[in-house]
Amino acid sequence: MELFFETLTGLREKLATKKVSPTEVLDALKKRVEAVEPSIRAFNHIDWETARAEAAALTPEDLAKPLGGVPVAIKDVMAVKGQPLTCSSRILKGFVSPYDACVIEKLRAAGAIPLGRANMDEFAMGSSTENSADGPTHNPWDTGRIPGGSSGGSAACVSADEAIVALGSDTGGSIRQPAALCGCVGLKPTYGRVSRYGLVAFASSLDQIGPLSKTVEDSARILQVIAGHDARDNTSAAEPVPDYLSGLNQGVKGLKLGVPKEYFIHGIDPEVEKIIRDAIQHLSDLGAEIVDISLPHTNYALASYYIVAPAEASANLARFDGVRYGARVKDGKDVIDTYCRTREKGFGSEVKRRIILGTYVLSSGYYDAYYLRAQKVRTLIRRDFSEAFGKCDAILTPTTPTPAFKIGEKTEDPMQMYLADVFTIAVNMAGICGLSLPCGFAAQGKHGRLPVGLQIIGKAFDEATLLRVGQAYEQSTEWRKERPACA
Ligand code: GLN
């Protein structure tokens, strides 16, 4: 088997026993990237030379570490010292990170090599990776379709075996939704579980970094390394990090899994619904007890998210004015003119829409009617989940209402695009954790096969249960063995 087809767990075994060297792994990935990248376009940039030098410098002690010699693709929104950081935006063209994000420090300390800048929707705003100044990424299962977003590059590169594993960020679904549409595993940890230091902020009360991988165990291994308190992020949690691998194979017997009626709504693709219901039945056959639950405020999650997230974004993006970061127009008449024209030229239309929306809902006279009310709804959503978790250990839902749609299909209609996240957003609003994993294929698309994802939602800081349920499902089914058409 070619090395690039390896999982993280499989590759580690080979590296630890010296069957392969880290530079051989990089050479294999380079070959793969050269073969498929022209049709996938998952990366904005890859610095092979630096990665190779880092791989060659790894000592035998480094190779004994949990991620020793493993290249990890990084969404172009996290700082890697000396590498470009663009957030797929024109405004950050030419910007080079002066330091490593906390997650990158942790990856390096575990022996990993950050490799490549994965494409994304500009500033992580979007659900299809079409809002990228670098052009869209293509879905490896059907290159005429979107890979999901905003971490579309991270999902596509893992799915197309251009990367062993990747990091993404999830503000409203941006890890889970592309993972579902590309047929890989994606984990959004609990808010505060992973430090946001060195992650370019979109909506600071919602953003969280997490892994995209080929298997559940691989996500557990990455989470183990990146989780934990960091004094440089005020919202980072002091909660101890459990051993995510030790409980992985406990199975689902004795677990209660809730199925919320509000997630099987009008608008869900009938094939997706059938596949999810089959997955739920499968977990029941494995010994889980399936219970009906209700999350009554689900309907308001999308609307309140699209007030809270743009409000925070409008404040966070104020720092991009051409003075401290990236590009600046040369012919500004004065300082205000320079700010305005830099932002006008530098930001794409979705980013501008969010800034205008966010500024509006925060403005005096509208604050109470929109922002404050959305925050109240957020409390109700959080309460729904706490009540539900009184009846079950984890919750099962579809990750997305439909499989991957065609490139260009929703770009003219922001509302249709926003609906792609209808099942993932509430998890961010509640600050809890969610995992998406492959659970079947819809007979749609160019090759008659488009991946569908099952979402498992967990209590705050209970990623271990998500991984346990995910592992039980994954290891008793064959979906993880399927490869996309581009393979
Ligand atoms: N698609 C959602 C948005 O556009 C979520 C994005 C994300 O999670 N970063 O805001």
Side-chain angles (χ1 to χ4, degrees):
M1 183 174 75
E2 296 272 13
L3 272 180
F4 48 75
F5 285 129
E6 285 289 350
T7 61
L8 162 55
T9 307
L11 188 63
R12 269 301 300 150
E13 210 269 319
K14 291 207 162 81
L15 285 160
T17 53
K18 300 207 170 53
K19 287 198 191 89
V20 297
S21 73
T23 46
E24 282 170 333
V25 174
L26 283 178
D27 291 344
L29 284 173
K30 186 159 188 275
K31 196 171 98 187
R32 178 64 171 176
V33 166
E34 281 165 2
V36 302
E37 193 56 2
S39 58
I40 305 296
R41 303 184 33 108
F43 290 101
N44 290 342
H45 177 80
I46 306 184
D47 179 352
W48 293 105
E49 220 170 289
T50 304
R52 220 165 186 287
E54 286 174 10
L58 292 172
T59 62
E61 293 76 61
D62 292 328
L63 288 179
K65 292 176 183 168
L67 302 179
V70 177
V72 181
I74 309 293
K75 184 177 181 181
D76 200 358
V77 67
M78 288 166 236
V80 176
K81 189 173 179 184
Q83 297 290 319
L85 169 55
T86 73
C87 297
S88 292
S89 179
R90 284 190 301 273
I91 210 162
L92 278 174
K93 281 284 165 299
F95 180 73
V96 173
S97 299
Y99 65 88
D100 275 339
C102 176
V103 288
I104 304 299
E105 289 174 354
K106 287 184 178 231
L107 287 180
R108 288 193 199 279
I113 305 159
L115 179 70
R117 311 292 301 158
N119 194 14
M120 54 186 279
D121 285 297
E122 184 177 8
F123 286 104
M125 298 172 190
S127 310
S128 67
T129 316
E130 290 166 296
N131 299 334
S132 164
D134 297 84
T137 292
H138 299 254
N139 191 312
W141 295 87
D142 175 347
T143 51
R145 293 181 183 250
I146 58 97
S150 62
S151 311
S154 300
C157 72
V158 170
S159 158
D161 298 295
E162 295 179 86
I164 305 296
V165 66
L167 288 188
S169 66
D170 191 314
T171 305
S174 278
I175 291 174
R176 292 159 287 155
Q177 186 256 19
L181 302 188
C182 287
C184 46
V185 175
L187 171 65
K188 186 208 89 81
T190 306
Y191 185 75
R193 180 73 298 181
V194 176
S195 169
R196 293 181 293 112
Y197 177 76
L199 167 73
V200 177
F202 162 12
S204 312
S205 76
L206 300 159
D207 300 340
Q208 213 22 217
I209 295 171
L212 292 102
S213 61
K214 299 178 189 177
T215 65
V216 171
E217 178 170 348
D218 287 1
S219 271
R221 287 178 189 274
I222 295 287
L223 182 65
Q224 196 73 54
V225 167
I226 63 173
H229 181 251
D230 173 25
R232 295 163 300 182
D233 170 3
N234 287 335
T235 61
S236 149
E239 199 82 15
V241 179
D243 180 346
Y244 293 114
L245 291 173
S246 64
L248 208 56
N249 290 310
Q250 281 175 352
V252 291
K253 273 210 186 72
L255 286 183
K256 281 191 184 152
L257 303 178
V259 178
K261 59 172 186 283
E262 293 82 1
Y263 279 67
F264 294 87
I265 45 161
H266 178 71
I268 178 170
D269 180 289
E271 255 190 295
V272 170
E273 173 161 5
K274 159 100 175 62
I275 289 165
I276 298 299
R277 294 221 185 260
D278 288 350
I280 295 170
Q281 182 58 46
H282 183 82
L283 282 161
S284 162
D285 295 344
L286 291 177
E289 185 187 337
I290 307 296
V291 294
D292 289 330
I293 57 162
S294 172
L295 297 164
H297 296 92
T298 299
N299 232 342
Y300 306 104
L302 197 73
S304 53
Y305 169 88
Y306 277 99
I307 291 176
V308 172
E312 294 184 20
S314 69
N316 277 325
L317 269 58
R319 72 189 60 148
F320 301 106
D321 55 11
V323 176
R324 292 195 13 230
Y325 310 97
R328 179 192 306 174
V329 293
K330 298 228 161 23
D331 46 357
K333 285 198 290 292
D334 52 34
V335 67
I336 298 292
D337 190 49
T338 303
Y339 289 163
C340 292
R341 294 186 36 211
T342 295
R343 286 166 70 83
E344 191 201 323
K345 277 217 162 86
F347 289 137
S349 56
E350 183 60 27
V351 174
K352 287 178 185 158
R353 182 179 297 123
R354 305 280 178 113
I355 293 173
I356 292 168
L357 198 62
T359 309
Y360 176 78
V361 299
L362 288 174
S363 58
S364 77
Y366 295 102
Y367 181 93
D368 287 2
Y370 294 108
Y371 185 71
L372 196 66
R373 196 175 278 194
Q375 291 291 20
K376 287 180 181 163
V377 173
R378 191 172 181 178
T379 303
L380 297 175
I381 292 168
R382 192 175 293 144
R383 212 175 281 163
D384 277 359
F385 280 108
S386 341
E387 277 173 29
F389 286 127
K391 300 192 188 88
C392 60
D393 302 295
I395 295 171
L396 304 173
T397 77
T399 308
T400 61
T402 66
F405 45 90
K406 292 198 182 102
I407 291 177
E409 194 177 315
K410 300 188 192 222
T411 35
E412 297 308 313
D413 186 347
M415 193 57 207
Q416 278 307 313
M417 191 67 92
Y418 297 171
L419 280 167
D421 295 309
V422 66
F423 296 149
T424 46
I425 268 173
V427 169
N428 302 73
M429 292 296 269
I432 55 180
C433 52
L435 175 85
S436 178
L437 80 164
C439 69
F441 292 89
Q444 299 174 30
K446 198 157 53 187
H447 310 285
R449 282 163 82 66
L450 292 178
V452 172
L454 171 69
Q455 179 173 231
I456 313 170
I457 302 173
K459 295 174 200 159
F461 301 106
D462 194 17
E463 286 81 1
T465 298
L466 301 188
L467 294 163
R468 175 180 162 189
V469 175
Q471 173 82 351
Y473 180 85
E474 177 192 87
Q475 292 302 313
S476 58
T477 54
E478 300 290 309
W479 307 120
R480 69 188 179 288
K481 298 181 182 155
E482 308 275 344
R483 306 310 318 151
C486 78

